Amino acid sequence: MSGLLRRREFLRRVPLEPRYDVVVIGGGVVGLSIAYNLAARHGIRRVAVLERAYLGAGASGRNTQVVRANYNTPETVPLYKASLELWRTLSQELDFNIQFSTQGELDLVHTRDALEVERDKALLDAAYGVPMEILTPDEVLERCPHVDLTGGGELPVLGASYHPPGSFARHDSVVWAYATAATRLGVHIHEGVEVVGLDVAGGRCRGVLTSAGPVAAGEVVSAVAGWSSVVARMAGLKLPISTHPLQAFVTEPVKHVIDGLVSSMDLYVYVSQTARGELLVGAEILPYTTYSQRSTFDFLAEAAKRVIMILPIAATARAMRQWAGLCDMTPDSSPILGRTEVEGFTLAAGMGTWGFKGAPIFGLGLAEEIATGRTHPLLAPFSPDRFARDRMVPDAASAGTH
Ligand SMILES: Cc1cc2nc3c(=O)[nH]c(=O)nc-3n(C[C@H](O)[C@H](O)[C@H](O)COP(=O)(O)OP(=O)(O)OC[C@H]3O[C@@H](n4cnc5c(N)ncnc54)[C@H](O)[C@@H]3O)c2cc1C
């Protein structure tokens, strides 16, 4: 079947209307989740999603698909726990197989400090009903016999934390699942339409200026992740966000060697095995800011070295493909969710390295806030004004950043 036919079947082409109740900027998993939830849970169907490229062109089509709830603060644990619950039934809810699969997450630790952090995290997570176990090195081998307990002879493994609900979902499927479900409910999705300005006057946002002309809106939502600073500036807002690239690579397919996610908390590297057999390797964000999505050889060499230190069997697999995406990092490594000081302008920003797993609850919560004017209790700690109020939610350790 040609790509054109599939496109007609999945995404009905509709004209861009001059006015919508809600305009969502950004056709990634978060923007689409917001649009779907507005229509499905609140009957708000005059909604447009404006995407300047194609659905999933941003980080939503480039991530490593990890879904988990083992976070480090009383605010983030319940948030991602609620999201994980929504993930479990998302295929049924959206009537689209998102290939959700629970396989567990094994986080190796090589230093006493990291072990302490994981112990504290396990206690906090248990208090919120999120399963986490602390494993000895022998128990690590029971979970994953391929782990090198000497850490490549350089960084011995002292133990691990294990998070049984750690899961994956196929990222492209999730984007298309939300898009098709939203479309069925009457949401208009426009690819190839770029927002170039916002119509803001008297402290109120009344619509967007696009490459296809102006569009009025009762509410405008920015869900553009790596480009959040650019779009917020169109509303006259300066966000405490810096945009950094995050990269990943896959090897050629190899026989089944690991279940779930295996990571190193001290080496900042993680690896899983896709359904096709590829080893999928990710690491930390690059330390510099840029909007470039070019991948680098330095990342490939360093991530490959680190993954071989914990999983020597990876040395036998040839790297096949690598890529990069943008992460909008906040000072506290937590998302920015909610209405802003500009009336009619809502932010789903600060998606960083965690926006994929959060998308179901971010969409549900923000749709509720837009529809009812009430802030969802789980989203309240993440409001855009928390920086001015000095109420940050610091969780860098969970985000895999320094
Ligand atoms: C390599 C990598 C690995 C990751 N791994 C994970 C993971 O395992 N688990 C996890 O939870 N998170 C992970 N993330 C983070 C996660 O992918 C993102 O936080 C999430 O996808 C953000 O989704 P989004 O919909 O907010 O933004 P995006 O998917 O980035 O979508 C934003 C969209 O906005 C569009 N856009 C931008 N400007 C405009 C404009 N002016 N007008 C119209 N459209 C515009 C872009 O084209 C883009 O399609 C990873 C990210 C990367 C890069």
Side-chain angles (χ1 to χ4, degrees), residues 28-30 51-52 59-60 63-64 66 195 225 351 353-355 357:
V29 64
V30 174
E51 166 55 51
R52 70 172 167 202
S60 296
N63 61 63
T64 41
V66 180
V195 170
M351 293 294 131
T353 59
W354 47 85
K357 70 179 69 65

Side-chain angles (χ1 to χ4, degrees), residues 53-214:
Y54 56 91
L55 297 186
S60 296
R62 298 163 190 260
N63 61 63
T64 41
Q65 317 188 127
V66 180
V67 173
R68 58 188 175 83
N70 52 344
Y71 271 67
N72 265 315
T73 74
E75 294 85 7
T76 44
V77 178
L79 181 75
Y80 294 108
K81 182 186 177 202
S83 210
L84 186 55
E85 290 306 319
L86 293 166
W87 276 107
R88 291 187 204 287
T89 51
L90 207 55
S91 288
Q92 292 84 345
E93 180 178 346
L94 303 178
D95 195 19
F96 197 116
N97 184 3
I98 60 163
Q99 298 169 60
F100 183 77
S101 162
T102 299
Q103 301 177 23
E105 175 184 332
L106 184 67
D107 296 324
L108 307 174
V109 293
H110 312 257
T111 60
R112 295 207 176 280
D113 281 356
L115 196 53
E116 283 311 309
V117 169
E118 291 309 290
R119 284 202 176 112
D120 288 350
K121 183 157 80 173
L123 288 174
L124 180 76
D125 288 1
Y128 287 97
V130 171
M132 275 269 284
E133 302 159 21
I134 300 297
L135 305 187
T136 63
D138 286 346
E139 290 167 332
V140 166
L141 286 186
E142 282 168 29
R143 287 265 163 228
C144 185
H146 292 290
V147 167
D148 177 0
L149 289 182
T150 75
E154 289 183 37
L155 211 52
V157 173
L158 303 186
S161 66
Y162 183 64
H163 178 49
S167 301
F168 305 105
R170 176 74 202 155
H171 53 193
D172 303 313
S173 303
V174 179
V175 165
W176 280 93
Y178 273 124
T180 49
T183 304
R184 279 198 301 274
L185 293 168
V187 169
H188 285 190
I189 294 175
H190 299 281
E191 291 176 295
V193 176
E194 179 169 9
V195 170
V196 294
L198 297 180
D199 176 7
V200 179
R204 197 187 196 301
C205 183
R206 298 172 194 283
V208 295
L209 311 173
T210 81
S211 51

Side-chain angles (χ1 to χ4, degrees), residues 95-360:
D95 195 19
F96 197 116
N97 184 3
I98 60 163
Q99 298 169 60
F100 183 77
S101 162
T102 299
Q103 301 177 23
E105 175 184 332
L106 184 67
D107 296 324
L108 307 174
V109 293
H110 312 257
T111 60
R112 295 207 176 280
D113 281 356
L115 196 53
E116 283 311 309
V117 169
E118 291 309 290
R119 284 202 176 112
D120 288 350
K121 183 157 80 173
L123 288 174
L124 180 76
D125 288 1
Y128 287 97
V130 171
M132 275 269 284
E133 302 159 21
I134 300 297
L135 305 187
T136 63
D138 286 346
E139 290 167 332
V140 166
L141 286 186
E142 282 168 29
R143 287 265 163 228
C144 185
H146 292 290
V147 167
D148 177 0
L149 289 182
T150 75
E154 289 183 37
L155 211 52
V157 173
L158 303 186
S161 66
Y162 183 64
H163 178 49
S167 301
F168 305 105
R170 176 74 202 155
H171 53 193
D172 303 313
S173 303
V174 179
V175 165
W176 280 93
Y178 273 124
T180 49
T183 304
R184 279 198 301 274
L185 293 168
V187 169
H188 285 190
I189 294 175
H190 299 281
E191 291 176 295
V193 176
E194 179 169 9
V195 170
V196 294
L198 297 180
D199 176 7
V200 179
R204 197 187 196 301
C205 183
R206 298 172 194 283
V208 295
L209 311 173
T210 81
S211 51
V215 180
E219 186 78 27
V220 173
V221 185
S222 172
V224 294
W227 299 274
S228 294
S229 308
V230 179
V231 171
R233 198 173 284 263
M234 295 175 190
L237 298 176
K238 191 162 188 275
L239 299 182
I241 278 180
S242 53
T243 290
H244 296 254
L246 182 62
Q247 304 190 51
F249 75 89
V250 281
T251 67
E252 61 188 347
V254 294
K255 69 172 186 184
H256 181 92
V257 284
I258 47 170
D259 289 319
L261 189 78
V262 178
S263 87
S264 163
M265 303 306 280
D266 297 288
L267 289 167
Y268 292 95
V269 72
Y270 59 95
V271 55
S272 62
Q273 191 162 17
T274 70
R276 280 195 292 256
E278 304 141 333
L279 295 176
L280 169 57
V281 180
E284 58 188 326
I285 54 168
L286 294 186
Y288 50 82
T289 60
T290 176
Y291 290 105
S292 164
Q293 295 187 82
R294 289 172 68 108
S295 46
T296 64
F297 182 73
D298 280 357
F299 157 77
L300 181 63
E302 185 61 31
K305 185 186 98 182
R306 293 185 198 180
V307 79
I308 291 166
M309 282 173 73
I310 56 169
L311 208 67
I313 200 163
T316 60
R318 281 175 298 193
M320 189 170 68
R321 194 160 52 84
Q322 71 177 112
W323 63 91
L326 298 182
C327 294
D328 44 335
M329 303 301 294
T330 48
D332 55 0
S333 300
S334 286
I336 302 178
L337 304 165
R339 283 167 291 173
T340 67
E341 65 203 67
V342 177
E343 206 187 327
F345 183 64
T346 290
L347 278 175
M351 293 294 131
T353 59
W354 47 85
F356 181 66
K357 70 179 69 65

Side-chain angles (χ1 to χ4, degrees), residues 1-11:
M1 193 185 339
S2 79
L4 210 64
L5 270 176
R6 281 177 62 83
R7 193 185 167 95
R8 276 202 200 109
E9 191 182 318
F10 277 121
L11 210 56

